[in-house]
Structure formats: C-alpha cells, structure tokens
C-alpha cells in the first residue's frame, strides 16, 4: 500500500488518575495491523505521573504529555492535537480497547469520499461485548437539546452492519481529517466535558464535511469509568452544556421554545427527581449548572 493510502495517524487519548486503564488501551493497540501512527497520552494533572507505567507497556511510538492542570475533555484533546504530527487524528477514550483492523477500517471511507471529515466506529460495551453503545446518532432535537443514539443497549445481531452518513460524531472514538481542523478549529473548550462533540459536529457539517459511521470498525468502551455514572461533575456539565449547546446552535424559534420547555418542564421534573431520591447535593449542582448559563455568554471560555 502506497503512502497515500497509509497516512500518518496520531492517536490522542487523555489520562486522569487511570494509568492502569490507559495501559490496557495501549496493550490493545499492540495488536492493530496498521503501522503508521504515533500515540499521544495527555495526562490531566493526575496525582501520580503515569509515564513509567506507560513506558513499561513497551510501545516505542508513545509520547506522554503532562499538563499542570486538568484541562477537561475538550481542551485536553485540543492540547494533544496541537502537538500531533498526523494527517489524521484518532481521538479515543482511554477506557476503551481497540480491535485489530480499527484504524484501517476508519481510514477507508476517506479514500472513497473526499467530503468525509470524520469517521466513527461501532462502539460496543466492553463488559457486555454483544451489546451496542453507538451505531450513529439521530438528528439532534434543537427544541429539547436531546438526541438518541442508534443501536444503544441493543444486542448486536448484525442489524447495523451497513455503513453510512450520520448526524454526529461520538467523542469516545472519532477519526478526524487534518483538513477539518484547519477549516473549523478544534473542540469548543467552553464545554469542558459533554456536548462538545455535538457542537463540533455541527460546525464540521456547516463547513461542508460529512460524518460517517463505519460499521466494519469496532471498539469496546468501559463506559463512564473516568467521570462516574452518578457523579456531581457529570450532573453539572451534562446539564450546563445541554443549555449551552442550544444557546450556541439554535435558529429562529428553537431557542424560545427550548427555554419554554426547559423552565416549565425539565427544571421542575429534575428538581422533583433529585428531592425524591434525597440527592440534595445533586440538586444544588444542577441549579448551579442552570445559573451558569444566566451569568455567562454562550461563547465564554470560563468554566
């Protein structure tokens, strides 16, 4: 295969107090068949320097970058991409394990359609490997700030084996062409965590690029290991950024309708739920997330 068909790929992943999990990802990368790549591990100010553990995995093409602060998902990946050398950037969660032909399959669509800017694999749950997490996204509902994930929680019986264009890229695993970044920039850092891939996906599509779900590519995800399934951090950023995303991307009557829906339906419903479960800290965090949007511009860089 000539150089045109074997572009240099920069694999970018974040680590935050999960050196062992990150090393498991690196161990899985050893088995991939593609050989023209580098790995950049961006450590987000972990309590312990993970460099020694990562070096012991034995991969010679790994660079460990040590940040003095936790930059979050968006800025952390941007920081890694800024120091990457690739023609393509494979942004991947550290709590994943790859399959042998993953890189080959994710690169193949770019050769068929030059309008493709991003490809994403089928994502399956690591601890339930027959169950799908992602096989593409349905269109975002700008009146509610919600979407649905194609295939999520479904047993994989081959029902999503047809590749095709999709509405949004999944931040867990996305192959991005360098030209996309040159024309659209990178992740919007104001999001810090959650919804940043949707905001970027819309900007990518507005620039004329397509997002593609590649069914032949598979990755396994150890979901929510970094943040936790019921953490205050998740409560804050998921709710803060849902509002922020609609503020930044709505058109016409979408934003007034969203505010009407959110303040009359979503807020009372969430408050009742938190109180009913005795989750008063989550309630306070949720209200703080809503209040952030009142006091900050939609393009603020303040977290």
């Amino acid at each position: 295969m000539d150089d045109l068909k074997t572009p240099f790929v920069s694999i970018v992943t974040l680590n935050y107090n999960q050196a062992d999990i990150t090393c498991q990802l690196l161990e899985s990368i050893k088995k991939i068949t593609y050989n023209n790549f580098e790995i950049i591990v961006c450590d987000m100010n972990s309590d312990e320097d993970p460099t020694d553990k990562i070096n012991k995995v034995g991969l010679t093409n790994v660079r460990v970058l040590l940040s003095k602060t936790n930059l979050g998902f968006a800025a952390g990946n941007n920081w890694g991409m800024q120091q990457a050398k690739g023609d393509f950037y494979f942004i991947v969660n550290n709590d994943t394990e790859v399959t042998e032909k993953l890189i080959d399959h994710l690169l193949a669509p770019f050769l068929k359609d030059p309008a493709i800017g991003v490809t994403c694999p089928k994502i399956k749950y690591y601890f339930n490997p027959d169950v799908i997490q992602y096989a593409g996204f349905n269109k975002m509902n700008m009146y509610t700030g919600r979407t649905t994930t194609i295939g999520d929680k479904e047993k994989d019986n081959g029902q999503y084996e047809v590749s095709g264009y999709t509405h949004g890229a999944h931040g867990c695993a996305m192959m991005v062409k360098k030209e996309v970044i040159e024309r659209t920039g990178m992740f919007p850092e104001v999001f810090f965590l959650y919804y940043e891939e949707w905001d970027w996906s819309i900007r990518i599509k507005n620039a004329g690029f397509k997002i593609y779900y590649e069914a032949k590519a598979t990755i396994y995800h150890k979901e929510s290991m970094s943040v936790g399934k019921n953490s205050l951090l998740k409560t804050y950023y998921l709710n803060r950024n849902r509002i922020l995303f609609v503020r930044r991307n709505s058109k016409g009557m979408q934003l007034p309708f969203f505010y009407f829906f959110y303040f009359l339906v979503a807020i009372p419903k969430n408050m009742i739920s938190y109180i009913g479960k005795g989750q008063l800290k989550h309630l306070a965090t949720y209200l703080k997330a809503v209040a952030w949007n009142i006091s900050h511009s939609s393009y603020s860089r303040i977290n």
Side-chain angles (χ1 to χ4, degrees):
M1 189 177 288
D2 58 36
D3 291 340
L4 181 64
K5 293 183 179 180
T6 56
F8 190 58
V9 175
S10 294
I11 301 174
V12 179
T13 193
L14 304 186
N15 178 75
Y16 179 62
N17 291 325
Q18 288 188 321
D20 290 340
I21 297 296
T22 300
C23 288
Q24 290 169 19
L25 166 62
L26 298 178
E27 287 287 352
S28 76
I29 289 175
K30 286 182 176 180
K31 66 187 177 186
I32 67 173
T33 56
Y34 199 82
N35 59 15
N36 193 23
F37 66 93
E38 65 174 348
I39 306 166
I40 300 175
V41 178
C42 303
D43 184 73
M44 297 291 99
N45 195 32
S46 295
D47 295 334
E48 296 182 3
D49 185 340
T51 303
D52 287 343
K53 280 189 175 181
I54 289 170
N55 287 341
K56 287 178 181 178
V57 174
L59 288 166
T60 59
N61 53 349
V62 179
R63 282 190 284 156
V64 182
L65 308 179
L66 303 176
S67 174
K68 295 181 180 179
T69 59
N70 184 353
L71 300 172
F73 181 87
N77 278 299
N78 288 353
W79 183 56
M81 286 188 283
Q82 286 163 2
Q83 299 174 76
K85 301 175 183 177
D87 304 300
F88 290 83
Y89 305 121
F90 182 47
I91 300 159
V92 61
N93 278 18
N94 73 319
D95 61 344
T96 59
E97 295 197 14
V98 305
T99 50
E100 292 181 5
K101 292 283 187 179
L102 179 68
I103 302 298
D104 302 84
H105 290 319
L106 288 176
L107 288 174
F110 293 103
L111 297 176
K112 299 176 183 178
D113 184 355
I116 292 175
V118 182
T119 59
C120 289
K122 179 189 289 182
I123 303 172
K124 300 173 78 171
Y125 290 99
Y126 179 84
F127 297 108
N128 297 98
D130 293 330
V131 179
I132 298 168
Q133 181 180 4
Y134 169 91
F137 275 127
N138 289 311
K139 190 174 182 179
M140 176 68 72
N141 185 335
M142 297 304 300
Y143 295 101
T144 64
R146 295 290 196 198
T147 185
T148 52
T149 308
I150 298 170
D152 189 29
K153 306 293 192 305
E154 294 182 25
K155 185 174 181 180
D156 190 0
N157 294 314
Q159 67 271 44
Y160 299 111
E161 291 304 297
V162 178
S163 304
Y165 304 106
T166 189
H167 291 283
H170 201 299
C172 171
M174 52 193 295
M175 182 74 75
V176 184
K177 184 163 58 176
K178 187 175 183 179
E179 183 186 350
V180 168
I181 292 169
E182 293 172 342
R183 286 174 54 182
T184 71
M186 300 182 183
F187 283 116
E189 296 183 4
V190 65
F191 284 87
F192 190 78
L193 186 70
Y194 298 120
Y195 275 90
E196 67 284 307
E197 75 268 46
W198 264 106
D199 193 274
W200 197 20
S201 290
I202 287 180
R203 201 162 76 243
I204 288 168
K205 291 194 294 180
N206 287 343
F209 293 104
K210 299 175 183 177
I211 300 172
Y212 195 81
Y213 159 68
E214 177 50 65
K216 293 180 181 178
T218 302
I219 194 168
Y220 293 91
H221 186 202
K222 305 164 187 177
E223 189 202 19
S224 294
M225 293 194 71
S226 297
V227 178
K229 294 184 178 181
N230 197 32
S231 72
L232 293 176
L233 191 70
K234 184 173 183 178
T235 295
Y236 178 73
Y237 281 109
L238 196 59
N239 288 289
R240 190 201 79 161
N241 291 347
R242 177 185 177 189
I243 302 171
L244 176 62
F245 170 79
V246 177
R247 290 171 64 202
R248 285 166 58 98
N249 294 286
S250 58
K251 297 178 181 178
M253 291 301 296
Q254 291 173 337
L255 186 58
F257 185 93
F258 172 79
Y259 281 147
F260 178 83
F261 164 80
Y262 197 82
F263 282 91
L264 292 184
V265 178
I267 290 179
K269 178 182 177 182
N270 287 328
M271 290 180 67
I272 291 170
S273 176
Y274 287 130
I275 293 170
K277 295 176 182 178
Q279 297 177 327
L280 299 185
K281 287 185 178 180
H282 282 272
L283 173 60
T285 300
Y286 172 71
L287 294 176
K288 181 180 177 182
V290 174
W292 184 95
N293 281 278
I294 297 172
S295 60
H296 287 78
S297 162
S298 60
Y299 286 86
S300 172
R301 293 178 63 87
I302 300 172
N303 290 317

